[in-house]
Amino acid sequence: MSDVEENPLDETEESGDAEMEEEEEGEDEKEYNPTTEEVEDMEQESEQDDSSAWLEFLAEEEEGKEGKAEEVGEEEEKEGGVGEEEERMEEEGKGEVEEEEWEKYIKEADEKEEEERERLIREMEEEAGAAQEAAAAGAQEEAAWRPPEVTAAAASVEALSQFKSQSEIFSVSSPCHFPLRRQSSDELGDRSDLMPLEKPGQEKRGLGPERGENIAERVKKLSTKRMPKSSLVSTANEDALFHKDDSGTVYPLNMTWSFGWNSSLPVFYIRDNTQRVLLYICAHTVVIYDVFSNSQHHLQGHPNVISCVCISEDRRWVATADRGPECLIIIWDSFTGIPVHTIFDSCPEGNGIRAVAMTCDAKYLATISDTEIQKVCIWKWTLAVETPACTLELPKEYGFQNYITFNPTNNRELVSNSKTQAIYYLWLEGRDTLIHSAPLLTEKTFNKIVGKFSQSVFHLDLTQMLSATMEGKLVVWDIHRPHASGSITSAFPYIKPCKLVHLQREAITVLTTIDSFIVTGDIKGSIKFYDQTLSLVNWYSHFKLSTIRSLSFAKTPPAPISEKSNYPLDYTLKGDFFVVRDFIIATSDATVYHLTADGTKLEKLLVEPKDSICAIACHPYQPLLTIGSFCGMIKVWNYEKKKYLFSRVFEKGLGVQSLTYNPEGALLGAGFTEGTVYILDAMSLENEIPEPFKYSRTSVTHISFSHDSQYMATADMSFTVAVYKVVVRNGQRVWEYLARLRSHRKSIRTIMFGVHLDCNEPRLLSLGKDCLLIEYNLLKSQKNHLEILDIHRADQCNYPTCMIWYPPLTKELFLLVCTSGYKVKLFNSTTKMCRKTLLGPVFGSPIEQIQILPVKNTIELQKRYMVFINEDKVGLQILPVDGNPHKTAAIICHPSGVAGLALSYDGCYAFTAGGRDCSVVQWQINLSALDAAVSLGGEDLTPFYGLVAGGKEGKFYRELEDYFYYSQLRSQGIDTMETRKVSEHICLEELPFVMRAIGFYPSEEQIDNMFNEIRFSEYVDTGKLIDKINLPDFLKVYVNHRPPFGNTMSGIQQSFNILGFSNSKGKKVIRREDLLRLLLTKGEHMTEEEMSDCFATLFGLNPEGWKSEPAASSYKGSKICYEDELPDEITAEIFATEILGLTISQKLTQDPMVSEAARNV
């Protein structure tokens, strides 16, 4: 390598690798290089306001020096020679005077910061003195100064918003039931132990006389005088986290392991030497993984997927931010796993945080919002503030900024970049102002193609910035830091592009610095080290890695070279040993490596699926978990030992969509995204059939085996059910295709086998989004002909989401069906009659999948549990289902969506697949915690009283009692002279009238379901039908059958969107004639007399009390003229409010009928 010692900065563009040659640009291309004056002109217009602010700040600094003659004299002497100094700086390439002025500014800004901190300490001392006087007067000092304990109250994301205006310290749980802390700056003394400590030997600025003492330590000394207990954070060491005992959990579901990680975010190396501990992100959870002990610790608290993460130089303080509604920024202590500070609503007007950075001393945070108009914010999080110290809005033309970092030696300088724009920032802390410089950089700047930016960093010499591009080049920016005597154009700190260095042909994806090296990673998996002159020192390209996503170096510097050292030689002319720290490599294929520099040893630490995970399955009697990914990988784990066993990667284009073990656990059925079905050996993943089945053109979404493993059924996205059967050929059992049928009109939600009651033959059922429950006749099915036994409609208004066999808790065998209306329905497995309708779990979205928890012994058969998933949560419910909301608990598992659910054979664990977040989470099930929550919710009717407005003593329940007893009078005749028979029951015929009187308007099918539920409630036990109902049972029926969110405009508007048309104003309307025709011909249609009577009553044309008694049914109401009463065009609002007279709620919180469970979502 003859040119490695040359300095590429001396030329406009030059390759840093001797083996790489840049292609020549066209000779006829017009060259253009802007002068310094032109570059400054481009910046001047956008930066004029910031320049004025900078000059004003400098002027104030000058006024503060007027009282000091010697300093003024020095300043005048320096100002007089500014012009000569600048000329000499340009000639010699040195900025001595400029650097002196800059250091003075930094020193003065630090002194101001120190004064503010000293003021805070004095206030705390006064507060402490007042507290001591109060204690001497008899106050209870222990109670007054006891630090708040870290609690974990069960609260949802909505509950967090109730505490946003409080200034006192509090602890609440996130949706994941982990503590999130918040406090005001007034109570820093009570929380000073949560402030980061600077590294020993690190440069300290602005600390006053005791320059070696950290501010956090000084505040801590004051705090310890008043705190009777030591903080867990201040007393912890780096080994404390994995020595914690997490066995005493009090939650029904607890995360125990996370399979997979977010490969778009970096992996950090936080412990080295005797440990090897990594920190990475999995969905909304921070995972701290100890490689040697094979153990994980999870930091939970974010309600949304974590979008960015950063870490302090000493590897102790971790900052994470998410993207989504009610986004959070959380600062964690990696020694203890405690969230020391939480910033709520950090981006209320946007979608969360896009990028975050932390200063080396961990005092400040910088964030960039994920909004159309991005904001850059600086946070003084150690002061426990809830608002940023300064904010800067970025113009749209700067592009979407997705990376930001601080200057490692100056907390007031930052750099960020989008794909097209790099921005330099200077934080004027004294004025709470953030000024910036963003010069325009085009291909004409260097007359070469620059490429899109990936990452930017500050150069090791601190006077330059570097920006890496996807063309394999580095843009070198000069940082011009002004001084007070300069002109307006020079008074503003700005950057100018000075060099374009072509390092390599491959796109650079990672750019960072460590010790004396500038390090790059590229799309070919190569890692290259350069010196300060951008001369190549060494590289690692022979490992054949995938695209480099992040590099993280060990905290401990490398040991001195000894006789046992085996460092490679660098590629300079001197041929010295290449000594560098060990580091972690994360690649785009979700693989994490550890490279030991001494000996150049590469080890794989994590190999996870790089694409969506929708398929998971548990072995029926062994602790095995099988995971399938869209990347074609099937991977098998021992989930008790957390050990990877074996895997298989299928050819490109085969993505795993569904997995199922057969009941014996010998076979594994796998459905793929392009329609292929494999039957594999469960212990080797080898093919059990010569060729895979290929009878579908769309993704195979469901696979199921019969109880005797004689049949296998699949469902695909083309609404088709296919059946495969075991036959004997030449003395061997082989699988053959039987038949397939497109039996549904919409997506198939469930396909499952059962057993006939009168024999041991299997039965096959499917449930579709078209509301059809279909059973197939397997005995009469033949080759290419799948026979249907019967078809039933599962619901009238809502579509079904899933189905399962209900455990035999009663003599009657049921099918349990969940619907999109948050209902759980029980159907008789033989007649398909709807026997019960119950309120299901209400946690933000309907149930998507359910499974019955397996039991370990026959004693546990008397009490069963159900595990479910919805859009983003996993939950646990006690059976039997009865509508009691306290029987249910749920926790956020995958904010971006849950794709699959599996249960361990012993019922101890649940597993959820995250789909797009490429992860699977293992949850330990704690049944006793859920049982305790049920007991706290009350017995008998107590939980149901809480589901109606006002409870048992409220106005609604009092009105219900009045209607209930008025119904008895009505059934006996209002004008009767006979003795009244007061009873605790009403006849079933009165039930729909009372329902409508209290605001629930059931359809005829819903009324029939209520009648069947009551009539047959005791039939299996007594053989008798019930024809009456008491008030407590009526309340249960009402709570379980009514819409969980009351009357909402969205449902009515949806009907008008389907049935109506858009008028001239763009609104969906129905013509008067069309509405009357639909009422007479569609759905549960009316007769003309019924329709006329209903409209006459609605418009008040009938006398009061008309038809209030059954005996008055022969009376004919008033005639109605529809043209006079109904408008020509009817909108959803007119129909709901003016015709029906309903009170419509737009949001859940506006509806008094919303259940308590819905409010707690």
Side-chain angles (χ1 to χ4, degrees):
M1 300 186 62
S2 59
D3 60 341
V4 293
E5 293 298 328
E6 298 179 7
N7 187 356
L9 299 183
D10 294 336
E11 299 180 8
T12 300
E13 177 174 338
E14 182 174 337
S15 174
D17 191 336
E19 299 176 1
M20 301 180 182
E21 298 179 3
E22 180 175 355
E23 298 179 359
E24 295 290 331
E25 301 289 340
E27 297 294 335
D28 57 346
E29 183 178 347
K30 183 179 179 181
E31 294 187 0
Y32 172 71
N33 289 286
T35 64
T36 303
E37 290 77 11
E38 292 173 331
V39 173
E40 292 176 347
D41 290 340
M42 287 186 292
E43 300 171 352
Q44 185 172 359
E45 182 177 356
S46 62
E47 299 168 347
Q48 185 173 3
D49 294 339
D50 289 333
S51 299
S52 301
W54 171 257
L55 288 174
E56 184 179 355
F57 175 76
L58 291 177
E60 292 180 0
E61 295 297 317
E62 291 293 331
E63 292 177 1
K65 301 175 183 178
E66 292 179 356
K68 301 181 180 180
E70 295 181 359
E71 293 181 4
V72 170
E74 293 176 359
E75 289 294 330
E76 292 177 351
E77 183 178 344
K78 291 179 181 178
E79 289 175 1
V82 166
E84 298 177 359
E85 285 291 324
E86 290 183 345
E87 294 178 1
R88 187 168 66 255
M89 283 159 45
E90 292 180 358
E91 293 175 358
E92 301 178 2
K94 300 180 181 180
E96 297 177 359
V97 174
E98 182 178 287
E99 292 299 324
E100 291 177 2
E101 295 291 336
W102 186 251
E103 290 176 2
K104 281 181 174 290
Y105 161 69
I106 295 298
K107 180 179 179 181
E108 292 166 359
D110 281 340
E111 289 176 352
K112 287 190 174 182
E113 178 185 357
E114 174 62 15
E115 292 176 0
E116 178 66 19
R117 293 180 181 270
E118 293 289 350
R119 182 189 62 80
L120 179 61
I121 292 175
R122 287 195 300 271
E123 292 178 356
M124 291 166 53
E125 290 174 347
E126 295 173 359
E127 183 181 357
Q132 292 176 358
E133 294 177 1
Q140 297 180 356
E141 182 178 355
E142 181 178 358
W145 297 111
R146 182 179 296 114
E149 297 294 331
V150 179
T151 62
S156 61
V157 180
E158 284 78 1
L160 297 179
S161 61
Q162 301 175 4
F163 297 87
K164 292 175 185 175
S165 62
Q166 296 184 4
S167 60
E168 64 271 16
I169 302 175
F170 71 90
S171 298
V172 297
S173 74
S174 72
C176 298
H177 307 295
F178 277 76
L180 301 175
R181 288 175 167 252
R182 182 181 181 185
Q183 71 174 47
S184 67
S185 58
D186 297 333
E187 295 183 307
L188 177 63
D190 289 345
R191 296 291 302 281
S192 60
D193 54 323
L194 304 184
M195 299 175 63
L197 304 180
E198 296 181 350
K199 292 176 58 178
Q202 183 178 351
E203 181 183 0
K204 313 264 190 321
R205 292 191 296 266
L207 296 185
E210 301 178 10
R211 298 184 58 86
E213 185 178 12
N214 186 274
I215 292 295
E217 296 173 349
R218 296 165 65 182
V219 177
K220 176 183 169 184
K221 291 180 180 180
L222 176 62
S223 301
T224 53
K225 297 179 181 179
R226 45 191 294 203
M227 294 175 58
K229 295 183 179 179
S230 298
S231 167
L232 293 176
V233 177
S234 62
T235 59
N237 55 39
E238 63 181 16
D239 298 326
L241 184 63
F242 289 96
H243 292 163
K244 293 174 63 175
D245 183 13
D246 296 331
S247 59
T249 179
V250 294
Y251 306 114
L253 292 164
N254 303 278
M255 181 185 293
T256 60
W257 197 263
S258 176
F259 303 88
W261 60 285
N262 187 347
S263 59
S264 65
L265 296 179
V267 178
F268 293 103
Y269 197 177
I270 63 173
R271 306 281 189 278
D272 50 83
N273 291 334
T274 59
Q275 291 180 306
R276 186 175 295 170
V277 181
L278 313 182
L279 184 144
Y280 53 86
I281 304 301
C282 177
H284 65 310
T285 304
V286 182
V287 180
I288 299 179
Y289 174 51
D290 190 327
V291 177
F292 293 152
S293 65
N294 193 30
S295 58
Q296 289 183 355
H297 191 88
H298 307 101
L299 310 183
Q300 296 174 265
H302 284 279
N304 308 301
V305 173
I306 295 176
S307 57
C308 48
V309 59
C310 64
I311 195 168
S312 62
E313 187 180 19
D314 63 359
R315 309 297 202 272
R316 177 164 188 178
W317 310 101
V318 181
T320 55
D322 60 55
R323 194 161 56 228
E326 299 188 1
C327 60
L328 302 177
I329 300 174
I330 305 179
I331 295 88
W332 312 84
D333 175 20
S334 67
F335 286 7
T336 62
I338 294 176
V340 295
H341 185 58
T342 301
I343 301 173
F344 295 84
D345 290 332
S346 55
C347 185
E349 72 284 353
N351 193 37
I353 303 300
R354 180 65 179 181
V356 64
M358 182 181 288
T359 57
C360 287
D361 57 9
K363 289 182 180 179
Y364 310 113
L365 279 180
T367 60
I368 300 180
S369 62
D370 189 7
T371 55
E372 185 177 359
I373 304 297
Q374 289 185 291
K375 289 184 178 181
V376 181
C377 299
I378 306 294
W379 305 82
K380 296 181 179 180
W381 72 269
T382 56
L383 300 180
V385 294
E386 295 297 326
T387 56
C390 62
T391 301
L392 173 67
E393 286 192 1
L394 300 178
K396 283 186 179 180
E397 52 267 25
Y398 286 176
F400 195 74
Q401 301 288 314
N402 54 19
Y403 182 81
I404 189 169
T405 186
F406 278 93
N407 186 333
T409 61
N410 185 353
N411 291 347
R412 291 161 184 82
E413 288 186 311
L414 304 92
V415 61
S416 73
N417 68 259
S418 63
K419 292 182 179 180
T420 58
Q421 188 87 48
I423 306 176
Y424 164 81
Y425 307 89
L426 176 65
W427 175 26
L428 306 180
E429 185 177 5
R431 301 183 59 85
D432 290 336
T433 304
L434 192 65
I435 59 178
H436 71 287
S437 172
L440 181 64
L441 184 63
T442 66
E443 294 181 6
K444 294 182 179 181
T445 305
F446 298 107
N447 202 21
K448 300 290 183 180
I449 296 176
V450 177
K452 296 186 180 300
F453 294 128
S454 56
Q455 292 184 357
S456 301
V457 297
F458 285 90
H459 195 283
L460 297 172
D461 65 5
L462 306 180
T463 62
Q464 292 178 324
M465 284 174 13
L466 305 174
S467 295
T469 75
M470 300 305 288
E471 293 292 328
K473 303 174 183 179
L474 278 186
V475 178
V476 183
W477 311 82
D478 278 339
I479 305 176
H480 293 264
R481 300 185 178 99
H483 43 82
S485 61
S487 62
I488 292 179
T489 55
S490 64
F492 173 67
Y494 64 94
I495 58 173
K496 290 173 59 177
C498 65
K499 301 292 179 183
L500 181 66
V501 183
H502 196 171
L503 295 181
Q504 57 188 56
R505 291 194 179 97
E506 295 80 12
I508 300 174
T509 56
V510 175
L511 177 65
T512 186
T513 59
I514 185 69
D515 297 330
S516 60
F517 300 110
I518 298 170
V519 190
T520 66
D522 60 39
I523 59 172
K524 292 292 186 180
S526 299
I527 303 168
K528 299 180 180 180
F529 293 79
Y530 300 87
D531 62 14
Q532 297 189 28
T533 64
L534 295 183
S535 297
L536 186 64
V537 178
N538 196 9
W539 70 80
Y540 298 99
S541 60
H542 59 284
F543 296 126
K544 306 298 180 183
L545 306 180
S546 182
T547 301
I548 306 298
R549 285 293 174 85
S550 69
L551 299 171
S552 181
F553 290 85
K555 180 176 68 173
T556 305
I561 297 177
S562 63
E563 295 180 357
K564 297 182 180 180
S565 299
N566 190 22
Y567 289 101
L569 298 178
D570 61 27
Y571 291 92
T572 63
L573 294 177
K574 296 180 180 179
D576 296 330
F577 285 105
F578 178 66
V579 181
V580 70
R581 308 182 189 210
D582 298 343
F583 58 95
I584 295 293
I585 308 168
T587 62
S588 61
D589 59 356
T591 305
V592 178
Y593 303 88
H594 178 270
L595 191 141
T596 304
D598 191 356
T600 316
K601 179 182 179 182
L602 187 71
E603 304 172 71
K604 281 186 180 181
L605 304 183
L606 297 174
V607 182
E608 301 293 349
K610 63 180 180 180
D611 215 335
S612 298
I613 298 176
C614 294
I616 54 174
C618 286
H619 196 276
Y621 57 86
Q622 291 187 21
L624 302 180
L625 172 67
T626 304
I627 300 173
S629 170
F630 280 4
C631 65
M633 175 188 290
I634 296 180
K635 195 171 183 180
V636 181
W637 289 79
N638 183 317
Y639 56 76
E640 288 185 349
K641 297 181 179 179
K642 312 298 185 297
K643 183 179 180 181
Y644 158 72
L645 299 179
F646 49 89
S647 63
R648 176 178 175 179
V649 179
F650 292 82
E651 56 266 27
K652 189 176 182 180
L654 289 179
V656 184
Q657 178 71 60
S658 53
L659 291 170
T660 303
Y661 283 96
N662 73 329
E664 290 79 20
L667 302 176
L668 179 67
F672 289 80
T673 53
E674 41 73 66
T676 303
V677 177
Y678 279 78
I679 300 179
L680 308 173
D681 179 83
M683 294 295 108
S684 64
L685 299 183
E686 298 295 330
N687 292 355
E688 278 289 312
I689 52 178
E691 293 292 333
F693 296 116
K694 186 68 171 66
Y695 292 95
S696 175
R697 297 179 181 178
T698 57
S699 180
V700 178
T701 56
H702 298 80
I703 297 181
S704 181
F705 286 93
S706 63
H707 71 288
D708 55 4
S709 297
Q710 295 298 305
Y711 291 91
M712 181 183 72
T714 64
D716 59 31
M717 295 186 68
S718 59
F719 324 138
T720 302
V721 174
V723 178
Y724 306 86
K725 184 179 180 181
V726 174
V727 296
V728 178
R729 294 278 187 262
N730 300 324
Q732 293 184 344
R733 293 164 53 89
V734 295
W735 285 90
E736 283 191 354
Y737 164 76
L738 179 61
R740 63 195 303 264
L741 178 67
R742 186 174 183 179
S743 52
H744 292 271
R745 300 189 303 272
K746 294 183 179 180
S747 62
I748 299 174
R749 307 303 301 238
T750 301
I751 183 168
M752 66 181 187
F753 283 94
V755 182
H756 283 284
L757 296 178
D758 53 352
C759 62
N760 198 37
E761 292 297 324
R763 52 190 298 199
L764 176 64
L765 301 94
S766 66
L767 180 69
K769 196 174 180 179
D770 54 6
C771 297
L772 296 182
L773 172 57
I774 302 177
E775 183 169 1
Y776 305 87
N777 193 331
L778 295 177
L779 295 179
K780 293 185 178 181
S781 297
Q782 301 174 358
K783 187 73 172 180
N784 296 322
H785 176 72
L786 185 58
E787 185 80 14
I788 291 180
L789 181 63
D790 57 47
I791 301 177
H792 292 269
R793 187 171 66 176
D795 202 285
Q796 183 182 36
C797 302
N798 305 297
Y799 65 86
T801 58
C802 55
M803 176 177 63
I804 202 169
W805 292 102
Y806 195 65
L809 300 176
T810 62
K811 296 179 181 179
E812 192 174 2
L813 186 60
F814 293 118
L815 291 167
L816 187 149
V817 175
C818 297
T819 73
S820 60
Y822 297 90
K823 302 297 183 183
V824 175
K825 290 190 169 185
L826 299 182
F827 292 85
N828 183 284
S829 63
T830 303
T831 65
K832 311 299 191 303
M833 176 192 290
C834 181
R835 289 279 290 102
K836 281 189 176 183
T837 301
L838 304 156
L839 177 65
V842 184
F843 290 100
S845 59
I847 292 178
E848 296 290 337
Q849 188 177 342
I850 50 176
Q851 290 190 27
I852 303 300
L853 196 67
V855 295
K856 301 177 184 178
N857 49 60
T858 56
I859 299 177
E860 297 179 352
L861 289 173
Q862 302 303 317
K863 192 170 185 180
R864 303 300 299 274
Y865 298 82
M866 179 178 75
V867 182
F868 63 87
I869 57 173
N870 64 2
E871 183 179 355
D872 60 350
K873 301 177 183 70
V874 58
L876 187 64
Q877 178 163 358
I878 300 176
L879 299 180
V881 181
D882 59 4
N884 183 352
H886 299 288
K887 284 187 173 182
T888 309
I891 185 173
I892 294 178
C893 55
H894 302 277
S896 60
V898 191
L901 171 68
L903 301 179
S904 63
Y905 71 96
D906 56 2
C908 293
Y909 299 102
F911 300 87
T912 56
R916 291 176 296 172
D917 65 20
C918 306
S919 68
V920 174
V921 178
Q922 179 178 348
W923 304 89
Q924 185 178 26
I925 298 175
N926 183 4
L927 299 178
S928 59
L930 183 58
D931 293 336
V934 174
S935 62
L936 294 175
E939 299 178 352
D940 300 328
L941 288 178
T942 302
F944 298 93
Y945 290 137
L947 296 178
V948 296
K952 186 177 181 180
E953 304 300 328
K955 179 180 178 181
F956 175 83
Y957 189 77
R958 295 304 181 191
E959 289 184 354
L960 175 59
E961 289 180 326
D962 294 340
Y963 286 128
F964 192 82
Y965 291 111
Y966 176 75
S967 178
Q968 296 184 29
L969 301 178
R970 180 180 180 276
S971 62
Q972 297 174 25
I974 297 295
D975 299 327
T976 182
M977 300 301 294
E978 298 180 2
T979 304
R980 297 290 183 182
K981 296 179 181 179
V982 181
S983 172
E984 295 180 354
H985 298 78
I986 60 173
C987 59
L988 287 187
E989 289 74 14
E990 293 294 311
L991 184 141
F993 297 102
V994 181
M995 289 288 183
R996 296 181 184 118
I998 60 177
F1000 171 38
Y1001 307 96
S1003 64
E1004 295 300 321
E1005 181 177 297
Q1006 290 175 317
I1007 292 173
D1008 289 340
N1009 289 339
M1010 293 182 198
F1011 286 167
N1012 291 333
E1013 180 176 332
I1014 299 168
R1015 285 195 183 106
F1016 295 96
S1017 59
E1018 300 178 4
Y1019 185 78
V1020 175
D1021 297 325
T1022 64
K1024 296 180 181 180
L1025 298 178
I1026 306 298
D1027 60 356
K1028 59 184 180 180
I1029 185 173
N1030 58 21
L1031 182 57
D1033 290 339
F1034 180 90
L1035 177 63
K1036 290 183 179 180
V1037 172
Y1038 165 72
V1039 167
N1040 284 314
H1041 282 262
R1042 67 172 183 178
F1045 306 128
N1047 301 314
T1048 58
M1049 181 56 72
S1050 60
I1052 300 175
Q1053 186 64 56
Q1054 178 65 21
S1055 300
F1056 272 72
N1057 293 341
I1058 297 173
L1059 301 175
F1061 69 95
S1062 298
N1063 62 5
S1064 58
K1065 297 181 179 180
K1067 291 185 177 182
K1068 289 290 184 179
V1069 298
I1070 300 178
R1071 292 188 182 92
R1072 178 178 57 241
E1073 296 77 10
D1074 294 338
L1075 176 63
L1076 299 177
R1077 177 179 53 82
L1078 291 170
L1079 293 175
L1080 292 173
T1081 59
K1082 300 297 183 180
E1084 295 178 347
H1085 56 83
M1086 299 178 175
T1087 64
E1088 290 189 6
E1089 182 182 359
E1090 289 174 338
M1091 185 177 69
S1092 177
D1093 290 343
C1094 286
F1095 276 111
T1097 303
L1098 289 171
F1099 291 119
L1101 301 179
N1102 288 327
E1104 184 177 356
W1106 176 78
K1107 280 193 174 182
S1108 61
E1109 299 183 57
S1113 58
S1114 60
Y1115 176 83
K1116 294 186 178 180
S1118 304
K1119 297 294 183 180
I1120 182 171
C1121 180
Y1122 297 110
E1123 289 77 5
D1124 295 338
E1125 301 295 339
L1126 297 175
D1128 293 336
E1129 293 183 349
I1130 303 172
T1131 63
E1133 291 81 4
I1134 293 175
F1135 180 76
T1137 58
E1138 297 183 14
I1139 297 177
L1140 299 182
L1142 298 176
T1143 301
I1144 301 299
S1145 63
Q1146 298 294 337
K1147 299 180 180 179
L1148 300 184
T1149 54
Q1150 296 176 347
D1151 192 349
M1153 309 300 288
V1154 177
S1155 67
E1156 189 67 25
R1159 293 192 187 100
N1160 290 334
V1161 175

